[in-house]
Amino acid sequence: MAEEVQEQVGADFFPPDPPLVDLPIDTHDRGFYDGFSREVTIPSKIIVSLIILWAIFFPVSANETLSVANSTIISTFSGWYVYLVAALMLTCFGLALFPKAGELRIGPPDEKAEFSRFSWFAMLFGAGIGIGMLTYSTGEPLAHFSNNPDIIRGTLEARSAEAVEPAYMYTFLHWGFAAWCTYALVGLAIGYVAYRRNLPLTIRSSLAPLFGTTMSGIAGHLVDIVAVVATILGVAVTMGLGVEQFVAGLNRVGMGDWLISDEGTASSAAIIISLVVLVGASTISALSGVGRGIKWLSNLNMGLSFALLVLFLVAGSGIFGLTLLVTGVWDYLVTLPAHSLTLFEDTGTAMSAALVQWQLDWSVFYWAWWIAFAPFVGMFIARISRGRTVREYIFGVVLVPSLMCFVWMTIVGGTAIDLELSGVANGSIVDANMSDQLFATLAVLLSPEVAMLVSGLVVILLMTYLITSADSAILIINTINGAGEDEGTRRYHILFWGAALAFMVGSMLILGGIDAIRITMIIGALPFSFVVALMAISIIKAVVFDLIRKKHGVPTTAEACEAWDGKVTPAE
């Protein structure tokens, strides 16, 4: 009986029926696509392949189209991105703070957490510290130190001591709750129905509370296709940043000037060779499965990350960074509501145009990046969070990684800023290419021999992050294409997505650098942003209806539905 009922949205829903606990998704049962949904996998491959072929064979057309998109489509939807992310933050904290909603468990009521709190936090740390952090830990504070809305308005002088605190206020705005509430909500929407209602661990299941068994058909296929394409584009940005910094690091440790082009970015040859090595290694890691390659590399990542952080804390400007951490967090929390809802408008003045461009280059880019990355990170977080209460889940997923990002930004970036303010760096850090600023900081901070050694360790850390990001993304894509099932032995598909990711990153970097990938990602993330909005509505409905069911004695989990006798027994 329980398997045949679904969510009811009509007028007569007090008490509502038990939740939908069966969402069949057709998968092929033989041949090349055995265990896969061909309706999702084939269109996803075609769309990604067409984007790659377009960039490779029609680079002029691609470049012109991206330029037009950058000035029209992106600016048109900038308000949508800004207000959507603000709504996601409000939804997350609302679910956590509402007493009865926060007590609901991601799984049956009596289920214990699958991982200890320490292990869970460690895995969240791994998700929160990655390629982007290594690039932007120095790059973003230094960028806002040189230019931010306050400097554009003329109230502060660029690269002055007064510009430091606002630089971190805007840095925290981008790397704090906005990012992690987006990931948390996507993960909660997936994990809640997967572990309470035994629905497949895939994107479409998160919309079942809204649309019921409709998600088994074409609508569900479209949702998963959009998620796969968004994931590829989101990971491509991360990989692009990582490859640029990886090449800069190789140049710093003496691997040759041929690695860097005349413009100071990675040369085409360096990009191609790096991608062959890195994506090749990530594909091999993905073929070995989660238990071997990814687990081993994740442990290495954490060890090297802590070692690098301790180095900056001890040898760098540790006290200055910790002071920035305290003041920065306070400024961020006080200004968060206003900054989250601020949308700059071009009123025809040079100042307003500069403010709009700053928001497009930073906030809108980040909001789109987090949304595009959300299927990947959200599914990972959902996998490791079974058994947590909604409140513990949201606070853990949002607060712990945000704090780790803040620590990295202030300790590492603070050292770079302090070296510039004191005159020791003399512009060698702030004027360097963003991908090279971390290595430039090490070169100023340490003796040449030690700087080269530490730079070599950073290159290794970058390599492990690049590999784990790529192989994890490939496995998540295979899970979506496989209707929520693990990747199994689908080797040919792993090879395809590894090659697709390499070609996507390489073609876009060579076509127009990291800006080409950024623009493509912002556009590609747009369809999934509407899915995320529906996921927010869906998880609110799922939680509210489960609370109503509990009040009227109607089962709320798959296990309870199996044992239910159909009688309504209102709770005391």
Side-chain angles (χ1 to χ4, degrees), residues 445-470:
L445 183 65
L446 306 170
S447 66
E449 296 78 10
V450 177
M452 180 171 289
L453 175 63
V454 177
S455 295
L457 292 176
V458 173
V459 169
I460 294 172
L461 180 59
L462 265 170
M463 183 172 65
T464 59
Y465 273 130
L466 283 162
I467 293 171
T468 51
S469 293

Side-chain angles (χ1 to χ4, degrees), residues 134 304-312 408 438 442 454 458 461:
L134 288 175
L304 289 176
S305 297
F306 271 115
L308 185 62
L309 186 62
V310 170
L311 171 69
F312 274 94
W408 264 83
L438 177 58
L442 291 170
V454 177
V458 173
L461 180 59

Side-chain angles (χ1 to χ4, degrees), residues 38 72 91 150 202 223 233 264 278 326 353 370 398 409 444 453 485 503 518:
R38 290 187 296 182
T72 56
T91 301
D150 297 323
T202 188
V223 167
L233 294 174
L278 295 168
V326 175
W370 304 149
V398 174
M409 294 290 190
V444 174
L453 175 63
E485 296 297 325
F503 277 107
R518 285 160 57 118

Side-chain angles (χ1 to χ4, degrees), residues 481-494:
N481 289 333
E485 296 297 325
D486 290 334
E487 78 281 358
T489 58
R490 299 156 188 165
R491 295 178 180 273
Y492 295 114
H493 301 285
I494 289 175

